[in-house]
Amino acid sequence: MIELQPPTLAPEVWLNYRTAAVRQLAFALASPNILSSLPPELQIQHAFTLHADIFWQQHYLNYQQRLAYLDLHPEALHNFLNQLKSTRLGLRFEMLMWFWLLDRDYHPFELLGHSIQIIDGAKTIGELDFLLRNHDTQQIEHWEVALKYYLAEADFSLPHWYGLNRSDTLARKLNHFSQKQFQFEQALNFPIQQRFAVLKGQLYFPHLYSQNIVDRTPHWVNRARRLGTWGNHIPENTADFYRLQRHEWICQNVQASSLTNQWWTDGLYFQATTSEFYMYRAASYLSYPPLHVE
């Protein structure tokens, strides 16, 4: 199997913590965006940007003391997350970001509003995840946050990255950012001066591939984030692979949460000995024939 990770892979500092929710909070903050830049083929209607990896690294360093405390005393984080009744991972990720943004002692962002509905007459035309005042720049920022898992097919170009629901594609999500979510000039009577997409999660390449395919990896895929693989077959070496529980898609728990599998079903699997993430999908998921080593 060809190694997908670069030698400069950022340290996965979220694994330093023992409490599951704190590991997830550390991941939400410290992990880089899954994209290092916007794909050039994306048609930009309303401009937005991605934070650089160093942005998240620095804010993690500023928050380390708080995370260490929460690892020993997680009650405040647990109580905050318990407000969420939905099981959707994207909403849990948004709650984790919200928790951090409310911790004003550790960053320059003043939270002006969350889940702000924009209403035109009797019609809701949009909703903003976060509206912030950056006290370092004195600018008003609009952040949209998303936790996404996309699987690469075909030539790995922008149109060929699919979510677990095949109607959820990377291209569709980026277009939704540009055409709809970042269309607003103001909110809560504040002029919006900066727009940022916080797009985290994980990307997956086909498990059976050749070096020339890897060499065609788009430059906008962020190689500072650990990449996974996916396939519709059970790997030959299944030793130590176990199926991650839903919340562990954000960050796996310290201890394996399920037994190593004698049978496989759709889901995300992790092998501790190699730190490999493998997304198993039924053959019916594919729009292309199964890939083979060239």
Side-chain angles (χ1 to χ4, degrees):
M1 179 176 174
I2 297 167
E3 178 61 53
L4 283 177
Q5 312 311 328
T8 56
L9 183 69
E12 296 175 331
V13 292
W14 43 90
L15 301 180
N16 294 337
Y17 304 94
R18 300 195 60 81
T19 305
V22 178
R23 288 163 72 91
Q24 294 165 28
L25 176 60
F27 171 85
L29 179 58
S31 65
N33 285 304
I34 58 176
L35 304 184
S36 57
S37 61
L38 297 178
E41 57 266 50
L42 178 67
Q43 299 296 311
I44 302 293
Q45 185 171 344
H46 301 285
F48 66 96
T49 57
L50 301 162
H51 295 102
D53 296 349
I54 195 168
F55 173 91
W56 299 113
Q57 294 166 10
Q58 186 59 57
H59 282 296
Y60 166 75
L61 292 175
N62 294 342
Y63 205 53
Q64 271 187 304
Q65 182 179 357
R66 174 67 164 152
L67 286 166
Y69 177 84
L70 288 169
D71 205 25
L72 297 174
H73 310 281
E75 295 80 15
L77 178 58
H78 286 159
N79 290 339
F80 189 81
L81 293 175
N82 285 340
Q83 299 175 77
L84 180 64
K85 304 308 178 185
S86 172
T87 59
R88 289 175 55 192
L89 282 183
L91 292 180
R92 186 175 182 86
F93 175 71
E94 185 176 329
M95 290 288 286
L96 292 165
M97 294 298 301
W98 189 10
F99 183 89
W100 170 66
L101 286 168
L102 288 171
D103 261 342
R104 278 286 287 115
D105 291 339
Y106 302 93
H107 56 70
F109 302 109
E110 176 189 353
L111 183 60
L112 303 175
H114 170 246
S115 295
I116 305 163
Q117 291 190 337
I118 306 298
I119 299 173
D120 184 7
K123 183 179 179 182
T124 300
I125 59 174
E127 182 174 297
L128 283 65
D129 284 345
F130 296 105
L131 188 70
L132 311 168
R133 184 192 302 278
N134 185 333
H135 282 273
D136 282 348
T137 64
Q138 296 304 316
Q139 290 197 317
I140 304 300
E141 300 181 0
H142 168 200
W143 289 16
E144 288 294 318
V145 304
L147 183 73
K148 290 294 184 179
Y149 302 86
Y150 291 116
L151 283 57
E153 292 185 8
D155 61 359
F156 304 170
S157 62
L158 179 58
H160 297 296
W161 291 83
Y162 295 89
L164 304 185
N165 176 346
R166 290 189 67 84
S167 64
D168 174 20
T169 66
L170 175 59
R172 181 174 180 177
K173 183 59 182 176
L174 294 177
N175 279 312
H176 187 62
F177 278 144
S178 181
Q179 296 172 13
K180 185 173 176 63
Q181 291 181 280
F182 287 116
Q183 65 178 299
F184 304 106
E185 299 294 330
Q186 65 86 33
L188 302 180
N189 296 318
F190 292 100
I192 295 173
Q193 298 160 298
Q194 292 283 329
R195 296 165 180 83
F196 291 99
V198 179
L199 183 58
K200 301 195 178 188
Q202 195 164 36
L203 300 179
Y204 302 85
F205 285 83
H207 189 69
L208 299 177
Y209 51 83
S210 64
Q211 183 62 55
N212 68 322
I213 292 178
V214 175
D215 289 343
R216 297 202 304 269
T217 302
H219 67 85
W220 39 263
V221 169
N222 194 347
R223 299 296 292 274
R225 171 72 181 108
R226 182 175 296 278
L227 303 172
T229 59
W230 76 274
N232 63 341
H233 70 287
I234 299 174
E236 292 182 6
N237 178 18
T238 61
D240 301 326
F241 265 111
Y242 65 94
R243 192 170 188 266
L244 296 179
Q245 305 302 314
R246 189 65 170 157
H247 286 173
E248 289 186 280
W249 288 37
I250 303 176
C251 179
Q252 68 272 26
N253 296 342
V254 174
Q255 302 295 331
S257 57
S258 63
L259 298 177
T260 52
N261 288 273
Q262 302 303 314
W263 56 274
W264 285 52
T265 185
D266 280 0
L268 181 58
Y269 293 77
F270 180 70
Q271 188 177 48
T273 53
T274 62
S275 296
E276 180 183 353
F277 291 90
Y278 181 68
M279 186 74 76
Y280 177 73
R281 303 298 291 167
S284 59
Y285 175 87
L286 298 169
S287 64
Y288 295 90
L291 292 168
H292 297 283
V293 176
E294 297 178 4

